[in-house]
Amino acid sequence: MSMGIIADYISVEQFGNPSIIEYTENVIAENNPKISYLSYLIHKGESFNRAENDYNRGSSRCTRSNRMNLRLVDMTVNEIMYYQNLQPCTAKVLFAVGKWQIIPDTLAAAIRDLKIDKSRKFNINLQNEIFVNYLTKNKRPAIYNYIITGEGLKLAARDVAREWASIGSPIHCKIPVIKRVGGRLKVVGIRPWKQGGGCYDGLGTNRHLISADKNLKALQKARSEYVNLRKQGYSQKIAYRKSLGINE
């Protein structure tokens, strides 16, 4: 989520019972230790229903998310961006899309930053490319820095929570409140935050479903995996990708 933009909407109705999510996380981690806990943590919190085809329309007041069986992976980036730019609360508008719940401003920035051809399909490979090279690296560099260097764990966890509303932060998120004052956008304060809470709890229907402690442990797991992969001779680029649980 970008500063000043409404965060991805998260609701228990959409994603199910948090206790079921917790059980699923534990089973996955125990039965498949090669899978990065971080990528599953984000997926289970953000796109529990339909993974790479998951979407929401920006507000539960207008229309429910994931009601139609949309195949986002068969659409081009241009098509996704067209629907993201429709007026709010219209029947076909899209807001957060895909496995990593990418909102309009973030998708546009990723396309520019990574120089992605808009005619490409918004398939899982492209979504993962954005996740690895933009969301967890260029946009949220604290995540990348921690996994590569082992420094700044709590800052990395805060960056995870800043990007994904379903995950709690161990330190203050420091999200600015931006309002239009005298015809201009102005920072008028900092959003309130409770210890361990999500960065956008209480904004719209947002609430964190995954604890800050699990966020920290997931990052530590990714760091450990990265170190092991480097010892095995993998390049920094490939080791980082694999440490996030992205093998495609």
Side-chain angles (χ1 to χ4, degrees), residues 12 15 58 95 105 123 205 216 234:
V12 174
F15 292 112
F95 185 61
D105 277 16
N123 56 31
T205 58
L216 290 166
Y234 286 94

Short mmCIF file of all heavy atoms in Angstrom, two decimals, residues 12 15 58 95 105 123 205 216 234:
data_model
loop_
_atom_site.label_atom_id
_atom_site.label_comp_id
_atom_site.label_asym_id
_atom_site.label_seq_id
_atom_site.Cartn_x
_atom_site.Cartn_y
_atom_site.Cartn_z
N VAL A 12 -12.82 -10.83 8.04
CA VAL A 12 -12.96 -12.24 8.40
C VAL A 12 -13.93 -12.92 7.45
O VAL A 12 -13.78 -14.08 7.08
CB VAL A 12 -13.43 -12.38 9.86
CG1 VAL A 12 -13.72 -13.83 10.20
CG2 VAL A 12 -12.37 -11.83 10.81
N PHE A 15 -11.86 -13.82 4.32
CA PHE A 15 -10.73 -14.72 4.41
C PHE A 15 -10.92 -15.89 5.36
O PHE A 15 -10.06 -16.75 5.49
CB PHE A 15 -9.47 -13.94 4.83
CG PHE A 15 -9.04 -12.99 3.76
CD1 PHE A 15 -9.12 -11.63 3.94
CD2 PHE A 15 -8.58 -13.45 2.54
CE1 PHE A 15 -8.74 -10.74 2.95
CE2 PHE A 15 -8.19 -12.58 1.55
CZ PHE A 15 -8.27 -11.22 1.76
N GLY A 58 -12.45 -2.69 -3.44
CA GLY A 58 -12.14 -1.45 -2.76
C GLY A 58 -12.99 -1.10 -1.57
O GLY A 58 -12.57 -0.39 -0.68
N PHE A 95 -9.61 -3.26 -7.21
CA PHE A 95 -8.71 -2.49 -6.35
C PHE A 95 -7.46 -3.33 -6.10
O PHE A 95 -6.52 -3.30 -6.89
CB PHE A 95 -9.41 -2.10 -5.05
CG PHE A 95 -8.58 -1.20 -4.17
CD1 PHE A 95 -8.18 0.05 -4.62
CD2 PHE A 95 -8.22 -1.59 -2.90
CE1 PHE A 95 -7.41 0.89 -3.82
CE2 PHE A 95 -7.44 -0.76 -2.09
CZ PHE A 95 -7.03 0.48 -2.54
N ASP A 105 -1.97 2.19 -7.40
CA ASP A 105 -0.74 3.00 -7.42
C ASP A 105 0.51 2.12 -7.39
O ASP A 105 1.52 2.42 -8.02
CB ASP A 105 -0.72 3.97 -6.24
CG ASP A 105 -1.51 5.23 -6.51
OD1 ASP A 105 -2.31 5.22 -7.47
OD2 ASP A 105 -1.34 6.21 -5.77
N ASN A 123 -0.11 -13.15 -15.02
CA ASN A 123 -0.10 -14.52 -14.50
C ASN A 123 0.76 -14.61 -13.25
O ASN A 123 1.35 -13.63 -12.79
CB ASN A 123 0.36 -15.50 -15.58
CG ASN A 123 1.72 -15.13 -16.15
OD1 ASN A 123 2.58 -14.57 -15.46
ND2 ASN A 123 1.95 -15.46 -17.42
N THR A 205 -12.50 -1.65 6.62
CA THR A 205 -12.72 -2.93 7.29
C THR A 205 -11.41 -3.65 7.60
O THR A 205 -11.40 -4.83 7.92
CB THR A 205 -13.61 -3.85 6.42
OG1 THR A 205 -12.97 -4.04 5.15
CG2 THR A 205 -14.99 -3.26 6.22
N LEU A 216 7.82 -11.67 12.51
CA LEU A 216 9.25 -11.71 12.84
C LEU A 216 9.84 -13.09 12.57
O LEU A 216 10.92 -13.23 11.99
CB LEU A 216 9.45 -11.35 14.32
CG LEU A 216 9.18 -9.89 14.70
CD1 LEU A 216 9.08 -9.74 16.21
CD2 LEU A 216 10.28 -8.98 14.15
N TYR A 234 24.34 -20.78 -4.48
CA TYR A 234 23.37 -20.01 -5.25
C TYR A 234 23.77 -18.54 -5.28
O TYR A 234 24.34 -18.02 -4.33
CB TYR A 234 21.97 -20.13 -4.64
CG TYR A 234 21.31 -21.47 -4.88
CD1 TYR A 234 21.40 -22.48 -3.94
CD2 TYR A 234 20.59 -21.70 -6.05
CE1 TYR A 234 20.79 -23.72 -4.15
CE2 TYR A 234 19.97 -22.93 -6.28
CZ TYR A 234 20.07 -23.94 -5.32
OH TYR A 234 19.47 -25.14 -5.54
#
